[in-house]
Amino acid sequence: MATPPDVLPAPASPLVPVPTRKGPAAATAPDLWAATARIVPRRRTGQWVSAAVALLLFAMAVNSLVRNKAFQWDVVAEWFTATSVMNGLALTLWLTAVTLALGFVLGTVLATMRLSANPVLRTLSWVYIWIFRSTPALVQLLLFFNIGALYPTLGLGIPFGPEFVTVRTVNLFGPTFTAVVGLTLLEAAYAAEVVRGGILSVDRGQLEAAAALGLGRWRVLRRIVVPQAMRSIVPTAGNMLISALKGTSIISVLAVSDLLYSVQLVYLQSYQVIPMLMVATLWYVVITTVLSVGQFYVERHFAKGATREGLPPTPLHRARAAYRRLRATAEAPAPGGTTAGRTAPGKDAR
């Protein structure tokens, strides 16, 4: 009777010596293969070449920054923490915080109107967002700054009737107030779309499940909608925060003493244009870096339960993992039975 193919003995591999069965301690084929095989790492020539080119370009850029005397780094260090510069930085940070906070409050109202079943509210919200996203920020600021030419007075009262309160726009719209109003209305248009996109990212099935469980609307909003919407809102809101910080530089045309205007006043008197611009640039880089780090940890907080792998690792966790991998590689046993990075027993260290 023929023997089935699946029970036939496998032919001996020509690369692995077939062991002999002369004793209980005889080595098997897998043992011999493991003892004689050598793991050859994959060659990644393209990665090494691209890394070398990138490092070379980076070194050239650093060399041009350090050795170019036109930057006048001594002047940059002298003015980096000057009183006028710090006052301008404080005003820039204050404007960024106020305009973004008010913008998100107004943007949340506009997003709610866009998602409303009322067609009038939806239309008005869409028109507002359309207008403020279609015109440049500088044009809006200049229009608000010159609003006195259109409306010499602003009043509060009954339409086509008497006015109870009247204010002259010349006395109301100063440079700083104009900057706050203009930037707030602009940020609200973008924040409305960010909030609306975050709310729409929540699966409708979860809202239906919450309604089936009898949960109240406020609890559904607080425990289901907001935590999941924030995962979509936070990255874009972080971008808006950084853009708002840099966007405050346009208010220098209104003679508001922000960071850029403060350094402009200095170099208009001392003619040290490049070093003073570097002072402003370095401060923008520092603040943006701090905000980026904060954004990372806020995103990490709202990433709870998003994946089965847990929270994304922080840079400190990545550094520890890299150190453990390097240590494990150094202590791994070598093919000859020794440990990499250590002297084998019975041999002299050389």
Side-chain angles (χ1 to χ4, degrees):
M1 183 175 64
T3 305
D6 55 348
V7 299
L8 290 175
S13 174
L15 298 178
V16 181
V18 180
T20 58
R21 300 182 178 275
K22 295 183 179 180
T28 60
D31 296 334
L32 293 175
W33 176 261
T36 57
R38 185 171 66 92
I39 300 176
V40 179
R42 180 182 178 183
R43 293 183 177 86
R44 303 180 182 273
T45 308
Q47 291 186 5
W48 286 103
V49 172
S50 60
V53 172
L55 288 176
L56 177 62
L57 295 176
F58 177 75
M60 293 172 61
V62 172
N63 179 67
S64 67
L65 290 175
V66 174
R67 301 186 64 180
N68 192 342
K69 296 182 180 180
F71 285 105
Q72 302 181 29
W73 294 111
D74 54 339
V75 179
V76 173
E78 178 184 355
W79 284 96
F80 191 71
T81 55
T83 304
S84 59
V85 175
M86 299 305 293
N87 291 337
L89 177 64
L91 181 59
T92 296
L93 295 177
W94 178 81
L95 277 174
T96 303
V98 170
T99 56
L100 199 68
L102 295 178
F104 260 94
V105 171
L106 181 57
T108 303
V109 175
L110 292 171
T112 306
M113 294 170 61
R114 284 290 304 272
L115 298 174
S116 173
N118 191 327
V120 177
L121 296 181
R122 289 202 311 268
T123 304
L124 291 177
S125 176
W126 180 85
V127 170
Y128 176 94
I129 296 172
W130 169 61
I131 291 177
F132 279 91
R133 289 201 309 175
S134 302
T135 54
L138 183 58
V139 174
Q140 296 177 24
L141 287 177
L142 293 177
L143 282 175
F144 281 114
F145 190 67
N146 297 281
I147 197 173
L150 294 174
Y151 302 98
T153 59
L154 293 177
L156 180 63
I158 301 175
F160 306 103
E163 295 182 349
F164 304 112
V165 179
T166 303
V167 180
R168 289 177 56 85
T169 53
V170 176
N171 301 328
L172 179 62
F173 280 82
T176 304
F177 185 74
T178 301
V180 171
V181 171
L183 294 178
T184 297
L185 295 179
L186 177 64
E187 295 297 332
Y190 291 99
E193 292 298 284
V194 171
V195 174
R196 186 174 70 92
I199 295 175
L200 292 177
S201 67
V202 180
D203 188 22
R204 295 288 301 177
Q206 301 198 27
L207 302 181
E208 296 173 357
L213 293 174
L215 299 179
R217 298 183 61 181
W218 172 248
R219 190 174 183 183
V220 171
L221 179 66
R222 183 172 56 91
R223 303 292 295 179
I224 297 177
V225 176
V226 172
Q228 297 185 67
M230 289 299 289
R231 289 201 294 267
S232 300
I233 293 175
V234 169
T236 313
N239 263 348
M240 285 186 57
L241 176 60
I242 294 175
S243 299
L245 172 70
K246 297 182 296 183
T248 55
S249 60
I250 65 174
I251 66 174
S252 59
V253 300
L254 306 179
V256 179
S257 299
D258 68 322
L259 177 59
L260 180 60
Y261 189 75
S262 299
V263 300
Q264 284 178 337
L265 291 179
V266 175
Y267 73 63
L268 288 176
Q269 298 176 4
S270 62
Y271 300 102
Q272 296 171 331
V273 179
I274 299 300
M276 295 310 301
L277 289 179
M278 290 304 299
V279 170
T281 300
L282 290 177
W283 270 120
Y284 281 121
V285 169
V286 170
I287 301 303
T288 302
T289 304
V290 174
L291 294 178
S292 300
V293 172
Q295 176 187 347
F296 169 79
Y297 282 98
V298 173
E299 290 183 19
R300 188 173 183 272
H301 171 75
F302 285 103
K304 295 178 179 178
T307 59
R308 296 185 178 182
E309 291 77 13
L311 294 176
T314 64
L316 181 59
H317 293 160
R318 295 179 186 274
R320 289 178 178 175
Y323 172 74
R324 286 194 294 266
R325 286 195 298 268
L326 290 175
R327 187 174 180 180
T329 303
E331 296 179 354
T338 61
T339 302
R342 297 181 181 180
T343 306
K347 295 184 179 181
D348 296 334
R350 295 186 182 182

